[in-house]
Amino acid sequence: MEKALEDLQQQLKEQEKLASLGLLSAGIAHEIQNPLNFVINFSKLSNKLLQDLTEIVEDNEDKIPEEDREDIDDIVADLKENLGKIVEHGERAISIIQGILLVSRGKEDEFLPSDVNRIVKEYVWLSYHAMRASYKNFNISIHEDYDTTIPQVMVIPQDLSRAILNLMNNAYYAVWKKSQESGADYTPTIDVKVCCQGFDIEIVIKDNGVGMTNDVKQRLYDNFFTTKPAGQGTGLGMGIIRNIVEDKHHGKLSFDSEPDKGTRFIITLPMKKS
Ligand SMILES: Nc1ncnc2c1ncn2[C@@H]1O[C@H](COP(=O)(O)OP(=O)(O)O)[C@@H](O)[C@H]1O
Ligand SMILES: [Mg+2]
């Protein structure tokens, strides 16, 4: 009986891992990289062609009526801006994918020299896009603050990213829930901060969502404890996060929360350099 329960627990843990990472396996990430490169390269090429076109227009200045000339300039400027945006966002997508590939390269429980800022950033946005896909028409502002002086440190990238994803998903859910109960003057907000604190790295994820009652706080880390409707929560996320932070990384996970005001989680990791 004990064994069966343990097996079930393990199975659910695996499911939570899979669910939290969604469909984004390394294979898919790799496949997406190629078409994205096409998008970026053709935008750059189009920008060059636009430059050539501008030169031809300039050479034929005298043959083009003044009004048309203004319209042409406006259109060319807009096209340049649009192409710039395509390149910018395409490159952003590439960097997310490279983050996933990088993270999924690490083996289970393998410490690797890592850029914590980068891991946090990628998974904050991964969570954002995943949640946006499930909660349509729900807007939220995310404020980020990264200390760029943080050196590479030894972490288990797979696990750290999982922890960030779980915390972000919970925060996202908390602000979504609050928005359902609040008026139009409520602005769902999540603040993310990564900074050095002496010999530690501190990752702070703060939301202005529903917050937690004392009862929830007390049972937060209990396996299977969830306040989400059936099918939406497994109640395993927080236990997994604490295991990742405290048992595997010898760090500390703490929080404070107030009903209706919001919640703040702090991950403290010892700065073990490579
Ligand atoms: N940021 C948060 N704001 C409010 N409540 C939270 C937050 N994070 C966690 N919780 C509470 O803790 C419970 C357990 O979280 P977790 O272990 O991740 O399981 P799940 O997300 O599947 O419910 C949640 O159901 C919720 O009640
Ligand atoms: Mg969760």
Side-chain angles (χ1 to χ4, degrees):
M1 187 57 211
E2 188 96 329
K3 176 85 175 65
L5 194 64
E6 241 170 57
D7 284 352
L8 183 66
Q9 212 157 316
Q10 190 55 36
Q11 216 177 323
L12 277 160
K13 271 193 183 154
E14 293 303 320
Q15 262 178 25
E16 167 91 17
K17 280 186 195 171
L18 287 177
S20 64
L21 282 170
L23 288 170
L24 290 154
S25 69
I28 295 171
H30 199 80
E31 290 301 318
I32 292 173
Q33 202 160 235
N34 291 327
L36 264 178
N37 276 326
F38 267 98
V39 170
I40 292 168
N41 289 337
F42 276 97
S43 306
K44 286 182 176 166
L45 194 65
S46 300
N47 222 334
K48 280 219 186 75
L49 291 174
L50 208 52
Q51 194 55 43
D52 294 347
L53 186 69
T54 314
E55 277 159 27
I56 295 173
V57 170
E58 274 164 12
D59 289 346
N60 293 283
E61 194 114 45
D62 44 339
K63 295 183 202 127
I64 304 170
E66 180 112 11
E67 292 167 45
D68 288 349
R69 181 60 216 263
E70 266 171 31
D71 283 349
I72 290 173
D73 284 349
D74 285 350
I75 291 170
V76 167
D78 281 354
L79 282 174
K80 272 196 182 144
E81 203 184 312
N82 292 354
L83 290 169
K85 278 187 187 145
I86 293 174
V87 172
E88 184 194 328
H89 291 274
E91 276 171 352
R92 160 119 201 86
I94 289 265
S95 94
I96 291 173
I97 280 169
Q98 281 169 350
I100 295 166
L101 289 175
L102 200 73
V103 164
S104 43
R105 224 177 281 141
K107 288 192 219 76
E108 186 92 16
D109 289 347
E110 188 183 12
F111 279 86
L112 293 173
S114 311
D115 179 345
V116 172
N117 281 329
R118 176 174 175 162
I119 292 177
V120 172
K121 192 176 181 63
E122 297 308 351
Y123 281 82
V124 162
W125 290 99
L126 205 60
S127 155
Y128 174 78
H129 291 295
M131 296 300 274
R132 264 177 75 101
S134 352
Y135 299 90
K136 298 233 160 60
N137 303 320
F138 176 55
N139 284 314
I140 160 171
S141 26
I142 296 187
H143 302 152
E144 300 167 275
D145 180 2
Y146 299 104
D147 177 349
T148 50
T149 66
I150 296 174
Q152 293 241 320
V153 292
M154 297 301 282
V155 296
I156 310 168
Q158 271 207 357
D159 280 338
L160 184 61
S161 51
R162 194 170 292 146
I164 302 301
L165 206 53
N166 269 311
L167 286 177
M168 283 300 297
N169 289 350
N170 285 346
Y172 210 99
Y173 186 88
V175 292
W176 173 79
K177 187 127 184 280
K178 174 136 187 212
S179 81
Q180 303 301 100
E181 302 158 359
S182 310
D185 56 337
Y186 171 62
T187 311
T189 309
I190 298 178
D191 290 280
V192 179
K193 186 174 172 188
V194 182
C195 61
C196 283
Q197 242 358 303
F199 293 105
D200 294 328
I201 288 183
E202 217 174 72
I203 304 167
V204 184
I205 294 175
K206 186 174 139 222
D207 67 70
N208 66 348
V210 286
M212 293 185 241
T213 61
N214 280 334
D215 180 52
V216 173
K217 284 183 200 172
Q218 241 142 51
R219 298 162 71 190
L220 182 64
Y221 296 110
D222 291 356
N223 280 342
F224 308 119
F225 171 75
T226 180
T227 55
K228 291 170 190 171
Q232 294 217 39
T234 58
L236 289 168
M238 289 311 308
I240 292 175
I241 298 168
R242 188 165 68 173
N243 171 257
I244 288 171
V245 174
E246 301 196 341
D247 301 337
K248 293 189 173 175
H249 286 87
H250 308 291
K252 200 169 161 299
L253 178 65
S254 59
F255 71 92
D256 50 88
S257 179
E258 211 181 311
D260 235 29
K261 283 254 158 38
T263 303
R264 178 175 64 170
F265 278 98
I266 303 176
I267 295 179
T268 311
L269 297 174
M271 228 189 282
K272 255 199 309 184
K273 295 194 186 138
S274 42

